[in-house]
Amino acid sequence: MHVVLISTYELGRQPFGLASPAAWLRQHGARVTCLDLSREAFQEAPIRAADLVALYVPMHTATRLATELIRPIQQLNPRAHLCFYGLYAPVNEAYLRSLGVGTILGGEYEEGLAHLVERLDTKDASAAADSLVKAGLRACPSGEQAEPVISLARQQFVVPDRAGMVPLEQYAHLILPGGEHRTVGYTEASRGCKHLCRHCPIVPVYQGAFRVVQRAVVLEDIRRQVELGARHVTFGDPDFFNGVGHALAIVEALHREHPRLTYDVTIKIEHLLKHAQHLRTLRDTGCLWVTSAVESVDDAVLVRLEKGHTRADFLATVERFRNVGLVLQPTFVPFTPWTTLKGYGELLGLLDEHDLVESVAPIQLGIRLLIPAGSRLLELAEVRELVGPFDEVALVYPWRHADPRVDALCEGVQELVRAGEKLNRSRMGIFARIGEAARRAAGLREPAPPREPVLPSRATIPYLNEPWYC
């Protein structure tokens, strides 16, 4: 059985979503080829030889890119079984099946992929279904798929197998304030999330559940990446403090074994306040920064999103981080149906006032709210009245702002960010240009052009050198 696993985009990091299932499938005797098309060219030879081609879709951009590959794959190898797996697979099930995808796997997908290989290899779907029942998994009753479309099974993970994957040094690097570059590894200690934020794509799949990757597996995965040159590790958990005891035990053990290794994590504001006593532990075990999805500084928007924090909570967290000596890197969704030109200007003013400009990747100032299939935002009558019919190609419910100037500003900000990154402008320089655009959109008199530093000044805080988007 020859399996090709494909990732199209995963935030500039080596995909755990290839390495983890590769280990499972190789244990089941499959010959596995991993292709990361964000770093290497599409290869026809392994596709032509494949019995199964499985595309990993952890986010919106990755899914759109993956759907564009379906026809070329079918043309190269019409006999290959097509599978989509990851967060965005089950919520787009109907559309993907209409394109010829045979198996859809969401949630904890490794076990499902292993059973799929067994089923295809034996050509005995009933035997595969029986083995699923014995494993405590519920078979999907529709079509020919025996595996559950969404599995929340408590898997016993195996150590990811990164053999044959694009080397770590070809992915995003850590840039330190002194200009030092470090190779970055990536792992996951948990999946899913306890919380039910309305805009979050995790919620339709996990419904408030989260699952851990066993501590020994996480530590061994990091150990092997360190051997491959990693000097910093990103934990890709949706919220590292969903299981705070599990998380702290991992970073404490990690620091004992690799005292010079640094890392970063993602934690929601609500958890940073609730578990504030553990911030020093993060700092002392090598955490360089914490990413937090703040999304907005407008309390009315935060209520609609059910984020579980307020503007005041965010600012209190900023102050606490500075007292502890830890860096907070907030992310935002500044363009929503409820954004006003005044409110956008207030966001920029707050970032400037609290010295957060260097802590925010410029792309975060141009993010527009996505409303994908299954989104809890559709529970709001005002959203249902606003959106158009679901766009299967774009994989979203399209919406336009009531004030066309807001949509125009969003497009303008995105263009300023693209141009700024291309010209290697500093974050402060890009921010200043965004501020000018926001003032013009609001009808305010344009200030004097900003003075650019001679050299880029983005490295005033540690950051990864590849800006990401959804």
Side-chain angles (χ1 to χ4, degrees):
M1 169 69 69
H2 183 195
V3 181
V4 176
L5 302 178
I6 298 177
S7 173
T8 56
Y9 174 70
E10 197 180 7
L11 307 177
R13 53 209 189 189
Q14 192 187 65
F16 183 91
L18 297 189
S20 178
W24 285 67
L25 299 185
R26 285 169 180 150
Q27 282 193 355
H28 280 72
R31 181 161 57 97
V32 179
T33 299
C34 294
L35 297 178
D36 181 358
L37 301 188
S38 74
R39 290 297 186 275
E40 58 187 322
F42 182 79
Q43 299 176 32
E44 293 189 2
I47 299 297
R48 291 184 189 278
D51 301 294
L52 166 63
V53 179
L55 296 102
Y56 176 50
V57 287
M59 62 195 72
H60 180 261
T61 298
T63 311
R64 291 194 64 182
L65 293 171
T67 58
E68 294 174 3
L69 296 173
I70 293 176
R71 180 164 299 210
I73 291 170
Q74 291 170 330
Q75 290 174 341
L76 287 169
N77 186 351
R79 70 176 180 81
H81 186 91
L82 280 179
C83 169
F84 270 53
Y85 68 99
L87 203 60
Y88 269 76
V91 295
N92 293 294
E93 178 183 2
Y95 176 59
L96 294 174
R97 291 200 190 280
S98 75
L99 297 177
V101 178
T103 300
I104 306 292
L105 302 172
E108 305 300 281
Y109 48 75
E110 286 90 348
E111 197 161 24
L113 278 168
H115 279 283
L116 173 59
V117 166
E118 177 186 341
R119 172 162 64 89
L120 296 176
D121 204 24
T122 62
K123 304 297 184 183
D124 187 349
S126 62
D130 288 343
S131 66
L132 281 171
V133 172
K134 292 177 182 178
L137 299 176
R138 179 177 58 84
C140 174
S142 60
E144 297 182 359
Q145 179 168 333
E147 301 74 26
V149 171
I150 295 176
S151 172
L152 299 183
R154 299 181 186 275
Q155 298 183 142
Q156 181 61 48
F157 282 83
V158 296
V159 179
D161 186 346
R162 300 172 187 274
M165 295 181 66
V166 175
L168 293 177
E169 57 266 24
Q170 294 187 30
Y171 290 88
H173 280 69
L174 168 68
I175 311 296
L176 292 172
E180 178 188 355
H181 287 223
R182 291 185 182 178
T183 299
V184 177
Y186 174 80
T187 195
E188 296 176 4
S190 66
R191 291 186 183 143
C193 187
K194 289 180 177 179
H195 300 273
L196 300 172
C197 303
R198 284 192 192 276
H199 65 304
C200 180
I202 297 169
V203 174
V205 175
Y206 281 88
Q207 297 290 332
F210 85 103
R211 296 290 180 261
V212 302
V213 181
Q214 289 75 30
R215 187 191 315 172
V217 172
V218 178
L219 293 173
E220 179 60 23
D221 184 30
I222 295 173
R223 187 177 297 119
R224 294 183 184 184
Q225 291 184 75
V226 170
E227 292 173 356
L228 294 172
R231 297 176 61 202
H232 178 90
V233 172
T234 291
F235 285 92
D237 309 44
D239 192 311
F240 197 59
F241 275 1
N242 268 320
V244 66
H246 173 65
L248 293 175
I250 286 174
V251 296
E252 288 170 342
L254 181 65
H255 186 63
R256 286 193 297 270
E257 183 174 353
H258 308 284
R260 292 189 173 184
L261 188 72
T262 57
Y263 66 91
D264 67 273
V265 297
T266 297
I267 305 173
K268 76 195 312 283
I269 294 295
E270 184 178 354
H271 281 167
L272 292 172
L273 291 173
K274 181 178 180 181
H275 303 296
Q277 73 273 24
H278 297 309
L279 295 184
R280 285 183 171 81
T281 300
L282 294 179
R283 178 200 64 193
D284 294 343
T285 54
C287 184
L288 291 185
W289 73 84
V290 175
T291 300
S292 193
V294 176
E295 315 300 37
S296 177
V297 295
D298 183 328
D299 284 339
V301 174
L302 291 170
V303 168
R304 287 182 171 97
L305 299 182
E306 289 194 10
K307 278 300 299 178
H309 71 260
T310 64
R311 173 190 178 121
D313 291 335
F314 167 49
L315 294 178
T317 303
V318 170
E319 184 66 21
R320 192 177 295 273
F321 266 63
R322 287 187 173 145
N323 291 338
V324 170
L326 192 58
V327 173
L328 181 69
Q329 295 199 16
T331 63
F332 296 95
V333 182
F335 289 97
T336 73
W338 312 286
T339 299
T340 64
L341 294 177
K342 179 181 178 182
Y344 188 78
E346 289 175 351
L347 168 62
L348 299 182
L350 182 146
L351 296 179
D352 192 19
E353 177 185 353
H354 292 274
D355 296 321
L356 290 167
V357 173
E358 295 288 349
S359 298
V360 178
I363 189 61
Q364 292 300 316
L365 300 176
I367 298 292
R368 192 173 190 272
L369 181 68
L370 293 177
I371 306 179
S375 174
R376 284 196 63 223
L377 285 165
L378 297 169
E379 296 173 0
L380 300 176
E382 60 183 315
V383 171
R384 294 196 301 273
E385 293 169 2
L386 172 72
V387 301
F390 187 73
D391 185 334
E392 289 187 327
V393 176
L395 301 178
V396 294
Y397 288 92
W399 62 272
R400 290 185 180 277
H401 199 283
D403 183 348
R405 296 176 301 169
V406 175
D407 284 339
L409 176 60
C410 179
E411 293 176 3
V413 169
Q414 291 174 357
E415 180 54 39
L416 286 170
V417 173
R418 283 191 291 269
E421 294 288 348
K422 185 176 181 180
L423 295 171
N424 198 29
R425 288 197 176 109
S426 67
R427 286 185 173 184
M428 186 63 76
I430 298 173
F431 180 84
R433 284 168 169 76
I434 291 172
E436 292 172 18
R439 287 175 61 83
R440 287 197 301 270
L444 301 175
R445 196 168 76 182
E446 183 178 340
R451 289 183 296 173
E452 278 288 309
V454 176
L455 296 174
S457 63
R458 286 171 55 186
T460 58
I461 62 166
Y463 69 97
L464 298 182
N465 67 342
E466 182 165 334
W468 62 266
Y469 49 94
C470 296

